[in-house]
Amino acid sequence: MPLSPLDIHNKDFSRGFRGYDEDEVNEFLDHVMRDYELVLREKKELEEKLNNNTERLGHFTTIEETLNKSIVVAQEAAEEVKRNATKEAKLIVKEAEKNADRIVNESLTKARKIALEIEDLKKQSKVFRTRFKMLIEAQLDLISHDDWDELMEYDLDTEELKSLEPEHE
């Protein structure tokens, strides 16, 4: 067990023949006691500081561990988000490609249908033109025919027609 300043102060030495000067020994012991008390106080303060620093170090170590775990969790979450985003992007691209293929196929089908309709309209137009030409030619032939001339030469006696009319009173 270490000595306390009180132990040093209360220490009695046995007296011998021709021993040390008692006042000088007491003065030295007082000086040693004050220095020892100062050393003990400093030791206590340093122990308290050490305990405080140890607690703080433990706190900071806990914070460091928590931060490291948080970083690992954040990295894993970021990787998961990245994987999910990549999967979603692939699905979106795949869906867009399917839609693009569908749109292209529908457009090609419509274009073919329109091309067939155009061909059909061309054929109908040719038939109509041919029939219309034939109708006009038939009408021209009818107009050019000699029957018209005969009709113009036909002479009616208008006096005779007047006599056939009933008289009005």
Side-chain angles (χ1 to χ4, degrees):
M1 180 162 170
L3 290 176
S4 70
L6 195 58
D7 292 337
I8 294 172
H9 180 62
N10 292 333
K11 177 68 177 163
D12 282 331
F13 295 98
S14 54
R15 300 198 191 255
F17 184 75
R18 295 185 87 187
Y20 294 108
D21 180 9
E22 189 177 328
D23 289 334
E24 196 177 320
V25 169
N26 284 337
E27 188 180 313
F28 181 75
L29 285 175
D30 285 341
H31 184 70
V32 168
M33 181 182 72
R34 281 190 305 272
D35 287 350
Y36 188 65
E37 194 174 328
L38 184 66
V39 167
L40 285 178
R41 226 179 280 132
E42 286 177 0
K43 179 184 177 245
K44 186 176 179 182
E45 288 174 7
L46 288 174
E47 283 176 346
E48 286 176 5
K49 282 183 180 180
L50 178 63
N51 286 338
N52 286 340
N53 287 340
T54 303
E55 285 179 23
R56 287 180 70 201
L57 180 63
H59 177 70
F60 288 130
T61 303
T62 304
I63 289 173
E64 179 186 20
E65 289 172 0
T66 303
L67 287 175
N68 284 337
K69 288 177 183 176
S70 297
I71 288 170
V72 169
V73 168
Q75 286 173 337
E76 289 172 354
E79 287 297 320
E80 183 67 24
V81 167
K82 185 179 174 183
R83 280 192 299 272
N84 288 341
T86 303
K87 284 180 186 177
E88 191 172 339
K90 286 180 181 177
L91 287 174
I92 289 171
V93 167
K94 197 175 217 178
E95 187 67 27
E97 286 173 348
K98 281 174 42 180
N99 284 339
D101 287 345
R102 180 184 51 79
I103 290 169
V104 167
N105 287 337
E106 287 175 1
S107 297
L108 287 174
T109 302
K110 286 180 182 177
R112 287 184 193 115
K113 184 178 177 183
I114 290 170
L116 290 173
E117 288 176 3
I118 289 171
E119 286 301 315
D120 189 42
L121 288 173
K122 283 181 182 179
K123 288 177 187 175
Q124 289 178 14
S125 173
K126 285 180 184 177
V127 168
F128 175 77
R129 183 174 178 229
T130 303
R131 287 182 180 168
F132 190 62
K133 185 178 176 183
M134 287 172 50
L135 178 67
I136 289 175
E137 287 174 352
Q139 293 297 318
L140 282 173
D141 189 40
L142 193 68
I143 291 173
S144 315
H145 205 274
D146 292 339
D147 290 344
W148 285 99
D149 292 335
E150 286 177 22
L151 278 174
M152 292 305 206
E153 289 177 8
Y154 186 73
D155 204 16
L156 269 177
D157 188 9
T158 52
E159 291 298 322
E160 194 176 311
L161 285 175
K162 282 183 184 177
S163 66
L164 293 175
E165 282 183 16
E167 289 188 27
H168 289 38
E169 290 188 25

